[in-house]
Amino acid sequence: MTAINALRTSTSGLNAQANKLAGISNNIANSSTVGYKRVDTQFESLVLEGSSSGSTALAGTAAHNRVEISKVGQVQSTGIDTDIAVNGNGFLVVNEGAGSDGKYLATRAGSFRPDANGNLVNSAGYYLQGVKLGADGLPVGSMGDNNLESLTTVNISDTSVASSPTTEMTFWANLPSTQTAPSLTKPEANAYVTSVDYYDALGASQTLTYRFQPVVLDDTTTPSSNKWTMEIFDSATGTGTATDGSRLVGQVAMEFWDQTAGANKAGTIKALYALNDTGTPAKMGDPASTLAGVPTGFGMGADDTTPLGTYNTIDGTLTVNVAGSVKLPIKIGRLDSISGMTQLAGNYTPVKVEKDGSAFGLLERVSVENDGKVIATFSNGQSRAIYQVKLAIFPNADGLNPVRGDAYEMSRNAGAVRLLTAGEGNAGTTSGGALESSNVDIGTELTNLIETQRAYSSNASVVRTADQMLEEATNLKR
């Protein structure tokens, strides 16, 4: 190799190391950038010509910077609901325009915030894309799952949930067994009262008040009656106090098995009774056959022939009319079943109180599930999925073309894109309230910086030496 060739080779080394230094400086500068992928510099030797005898004419080296797109960074929690991190394989799909009429890009920079119009946009100005879901949780529209055109910008403004009336309720309570023992002292009328809210057809909150009174006999020589009356009062019916007679919508008496019935039946409902006008218990019929109806002549209210509620022995529900004429089935338990109303030792305790329905609700917060569903939580306590975020999967993610804002253009080298639900197939999962940090390791970059500095200095020394040799050769002519 001549001195000129040495000069040329060392100059290529200086250029290559300067190229690597640019990559290192970019990595260090972006070590705190969300979703940033480090630049790795690869060198290749240059050969002008070679022969079969093994002789070559060397021409130095060239450096190529390559973005490590497929190398993931550490996921860190942020506590901000609209932040999204991808765990594993896949990219979030974003668009340059809020109307999804721009270019679709892939990114793992998930620091999204709502803009003035409620569109989720990240710090680079790219808008998050997802499949819009209806109130039934199904996609709106009929485009295919793998179609980018099926995506739309995720928008969380003007999101609300309609009210829905209560259509079923469960009320189980344990009634203290000691209170049905014979006594000359009667318990207070409102000693055992519980109120449960429900929603009417307009979404307004109403209240059912359950009042229980033990049947106490005056003859202290008789055993416990093991009977209770249950009255149900409706705030949407009548006037006056919560337990005013005009608000009464349900009335029934219950008899419970005593301790002689055995462990499986003791304390469970033995029979149901209607109540006549004077409040005296009147047995409705044989527990095994006719309890589903009310015998003629035994009313539960002012009208002797019209009962306040009907009992279904199949599912253990007492159906009453609330808010005027709306039928509301209330699960109080089947006969002989421990799953329902009971009379056991201990205090009065509502054991299970459940109801459906909801009031009108406004959006309070948005969160992201592991499967990419964007969940809206409303002021009425209800929640539902409003969007499905899809992950873009590529056969060769490193073939994507990097653009500004830590996003990537979909290219031929990356292969055809597939849109998958998070956690489906080889797609990763999503984490709400978290971000993927840069995959840059500062220690590694500082080590590379020192190596690059020394390599650059060594190439510079070769240039100086070659220059001196050429100068000596020039002086030989003098």
Side-chain angles (χ1 to χ4, degrees), residues 276-340:
N276 61 21
D277 293 348
T278 62
T280 304
K283 194 170 184 180
M284 295 175 68
D286 179 67
S289 59
T290 60
L291 279 181
V294 179
T296 302
F298 293 102
M300 293 185 182
D303 184 352
D304 266 358
T305 62
T306 305
L308 291 182
T310 56
Y311 180 72
N312 186 326
T313 56
I314 305 283
D315 56 13
T317 60
L318 178 69
T319 301
V320 299
N321 291 336
V322 299
S325 59
V326 178
K327 295 188 180 298
L328 177 63
I330 303 171
K331 294 180 181 179
I332 61 173
R334 296 189 298 270
L335 303 178
D336 305 335
S337 173
I338 196 66
S339 297

Side-chain angles (χ1 to χ4, degrees), residues 77-247:
S77 175
T78 64
I80 299 175
D81 292 331
T82 52
D83 284 342
I84 307 174
V86 178
N87 301 294
N89 189 27
F91 297 82
L92 301 171
V93 179
V94 294
N95 195 287
E96 294 177 326
S100 300
D101 51 359
K103 181 185 295 183
Y104 288 101
L105 302 171
T107 187
R108 290 176 71 98
S111 54
F112 294 98
R113 302 289 185 276
D115 64 7
N117 297 316
N119 300 310
L120 291 188
V121 57
N122 67 8
S123 55
Y126 298 129
Y127 294 88
L128 178 64
Q129 303 296 292
V131 177
K132 190 172 184 178
L133 303 179
D136 55 2
L138 299 177
V140 176
S142 57
M143 292 188 179
D145 291 341
N146 202 45
N147 192 337
L148 287 173
E149 300 302 324
S150 68
L151 304 179
T152 185
T153 297
V154 177
N155 184 287
I156 61 174
S157 67
D158 299 328
T159 302
S160 62
V161 62
S163 61
S164 59
T166 299
T167 59
E168 61 180 12
M169 182 181 293
T170 299
F171 187 87
W172 299 349
N174 179 62
L175 307 175
S177 58
T178 57
Q179 296 301 308
T180 58
S183 175
L184 298 177
T185 304
K186 305 298 182 182
E188 182 184 350
N190 293 323
Y192 307 108
V193 174
T194 298
S195 296
V196 180
D197 293 337
Y198 75 94
Y199 300 98
D200 62 19
L202 297 178
S205 179
Q206 305 292 350
T207 303
L208 288 186
T209 300
Y210 294 83
R211 182 170 70 181
F212 299 91
Q213 292 179 293
V215 176
V216 180
L217 303 177
D218 295 334
D219 186 357
T220 57
T221 63
T222 60
S224 297
S225 68
N226 295 314
K227 295 177 182 178
W228 291 75
T229 62
M230 180 176 72
E231 298 170 300
I232 304 175
F233 302 87
D234 178 23
S235 65
T237 304
T239 59
T241 63
T243 55
D244 187 87
S246 65
R247 297 186 183 275

Side-chain angles (χ1 to χ4, degrees), residues 303-446:
D303 184 352
D304 266 358
T305 62
T306 305
L308 291 182
T310 56
Y311 180 72
N312 186 326
T313 56
I314 305 283
D315 56 13
T317 60
L318 178 69
T319 301
V320 299
N321 291 336
V322 299
S325 59
V326 178
K327 295 188 180 298
L328 177 63
I330 303 171
K331 294 180 181 179
I332 61 173
R334 296 189 298 270
L335 303 178
D336 305 335
S337 173
I338 196 66
S339 297
M341 302 294 300
T342 57
Q343 182 196 247
L344 302 170
N347 298 325
Y348 168 72
T349 305
V351 177
K352 185 175 183 179
V353 179
E354 294 179 348
K355 63 181 183 298
D356 62 359
S358 64
F360 176 77
L362 296 175
L363 181 68
E364 284 193 338
R365 59 168 293 201
V366 171
S367 58
V368 180
E369 300 292 308
N370 290 342
D371 60 358
K373 282 189 173 65
V374 180
I375 306 297
T377 302
F378 302 93
S379 57
N380 61 2
Q382 300 295 309
S383 61
R384 67 177 179 89
I386 56 176
Y387 285 91
Q388 172 70 65
V389 174
K390 296 281 190 174
L391 295 184
I393 308 298
F394 300 91
N396 175 31
D398 289 323
L400 293 169
N401 182 32
V403 295
R404 68 164 189 87
D406 301 299
Y408 308 95
E409 288 181 332
M410 303 176 193
S411 65
R412 184 186 300 272
N413 290 335
V417 61
R418 287 187 301 149
L419 298 181
L420 298 180
T421 300
E424 175 184 296
N426 63 337
T429 59
T430 54
S431 294
L435 291 173
E436 180 184 355
S437 60
S438 167
N439 63 359
V440 173
D441 179 69
I442 289 294
T444 300
E445 300 304 324
L446 292 178

